[in-house]
Amino acid sequence: MAFFVTPVTILTGFLGSGKTTLLNRFLKEAHGKRFVVIENEFGEVSVDDILVYEEAVETVVQLVNGCICCKVRGDLARALGDLAQRRIKGEIEFDHVLIETSGLADPGPVIQTFLAETALLAHYVLDGVVTLADGVNIGRSLNNADEATAQLALADRVFITKEDLLNKEQLQNAKLLVRRINETTSISVVDLVSAGWDEVFSTLLEIRGYEFDRVSFENISAAQVTSDHHDNASHTCDVSTVGFRTSNALDPGMIQKAFAVIKEDMGDRIWRMKGVLSIDKHPKRVVVQGVGELLQVNEGRIWRPFEPRETHFIVIGKSLNEKLILDVLKQAECLPVPPQNLSR
């Protein structure tokens, strides 16, 4: 029996951001979709006390609304593989996987599972990372924990929650705090309690953030936070997005060297790298997806006739050496040869 590759969404957010509220809606309400909700490590979801916390035991519970709740204390890749095999045997059915990370955790290692464990690609595709940000306490969370910053830096989409407790200025400043950390993410304001499922699904699903043939960019520049909230944003001044864009083709050997130099110099200060590359004399796009020091490079779709062949690449991280990044990337460009003057 054949199955489609199943999309996976990683749901993260600092303590109190609303993950439990959202996931309990998925597990309890009738919405017509079959989800596996995986609670990874120290999550807080409990559905009518049927999710038993036992040492070294994965608990899989089939729910009446068609969803499955799975508690994972061991290896995530193994748990996903086991779920895929159970589906192949006809024991369970599901269409989408939601993985909840701990509110105190950097989601990077979970993302890296999908970049490093290639066997998972036969069954799953990482659709994207969604981060819930508490609009009331976002400044405090960012000041107190690097993990909260990493959760925003790695987000493909951000939900700002508790908007009913914010005035217009506070909501705008919450958005600006997010944008200072991640210039390329999409930001939505959603009431997780009362929002309809169409709204939740349209924001949470079908992100296509880690596909091999495309990379999306918001192309929104970071804005300054108003002076009234400067203290809340002060710690994020060393978090930045470095963007590189060129219509010149790249030399394949030089771009590999550029990536090596960037990773060697900045290492674990890099949170996210992604881009579409135009490689000299290569007919296809080259798509780069990276989290931390783990970088995945794949061929994308063929460049269409008359389509502008353009490289667009970004690095998000902490205390980045912007000059070095741009210098080594520029060195990889194949500069156009000026026309020869044949007149005598």
Side-chain angles (χ1 to χ4, degrees), residues 254-265 295:
M254 292 299 292
I255 194 63
Q256 289 182 12
K257 290 181 180 179
F259 291 155
V261 170
I262 291 170
K263 290 196 293 181
E264 181 179 0
D265 185 83
L295 198 64

Side-chain angles (χ1 to χ4, degrees), residues 270-290:
I270 297 172
W271 280 320
R272 184 80 162 95
M273 293 192 288
K274 64 179 180 178
V276 175
L277 312 182
S278 172
I279 302 298
D280 189 40
K281 298 181 176 62
H282 192 71
K284 295 183 178 181
R285 295 164 174 249
V286 173
V287 178
V288 177
Q289 298 279 9

Side-chain angles (χ1 to χ4, degrees), residues 27-229:
L27 293 172
K28 293 181 178 181
E29 295 182 14
H31 42 64
K33 292 184 180 290
R34 297 174 300 184
F35 289 92
V36 172
V37 175
I38 295 179
E39 183 190 354
N40 190 42
E41 298 297 341
F42 305 105
E44 303 166 351
V45 174
S46 179
V47 182
D48 297 333
D49 297 323
I50 61 176
L51 191 56
V52 182
Y53 294 77
E54 299 180 17
E55 290 297 328
V57 174
E58 275 82 30
T59 304
V60 178
V61 181
Q62 183 82 47
L63 303 174
V64 294
N65 69 347
C67 292
I68 296 168
C69 193
C70 179
K71 172 69 179 179
V72 175
R73 286 192 176 276
D75 178 65
L76 177 61
R78 177 174 54 81
L80 287 165
D82 290 345
L83 286 169
Q85 292 304 313
R86 292 183 64 175
R87 181 174 62 176
I88 291 172
K89 294 176 183 177
E91 297 176 2
I92 54 177
E93 294 287 342
F94 55 90
D95 307 307
H96 200 107
V97 177
L98 295 175
I99 300 176
E100 180 229 10
T101 69
S102 164
L104 295 172
D106 176 348
V110 179
I111 303 170
Q112 289 176 333
T113 297
F114 293 90
L115 299 181
E117 300 286 344
T118 55
L120 289 178
L121 300 180
H123 305 286
Y124 303 99
V125 59
L126 179 56
D127 187 49
V129 179
V130 175
T131 299
L132 272 55
D134 179 345
V136 175
N137 297 303
I138 183 172
R140 185 179 299 109
S141 298
L142 292 173
N143 279 329
N144 291 335
D146 285 343
E147 291 83 359
T149 306
Q151 290 166 3
L152 292 175
L154 291 167
D156 296 290
R157 291 181 181 172
V158 174
F159 283 2
I160 294 181
T161 62
K162 302 183 182 178
E163 76 288 348
D164 56 317
L165 302 178
L166 305 173
N167 60 37
K168 185 176 180 180
E169 181 184 3
Q170 291 169 330
L171 178 58
Q172 180 63 17
N173 277 279
K175 292 179 179 179
L176 293 177
L177 280 172
V178 174
R179 189 62 70 203
R180 286 190 63 158
I181 295 170
N182 190 333
E183 294 183 31
T184 68
T185 192
S186 170
I187 302 175
S188 299
V189 180
V190 176
D191 183 343
L192 298 178
V193 176
S194 61
W197 282 114
D198 287 346
E199 182 181 2
V200 173
F201 290 155
S202 66
T203 312
L204 189 72
L205 309 181
E206 297 185 12
I207 298 172
R208 301 175 67 188
Y210 282 83
E211 289 193 334
F212 293 154
D213 63 345
R214 68 188 293 274
V215 171
S216 60
F217 299 93
E218 279 289 295
N219 292 323
I220 300 176
S221 298
Q224 295 299 317
V225 179
T226 59
S227 58
D228 290 342
H229 297 264

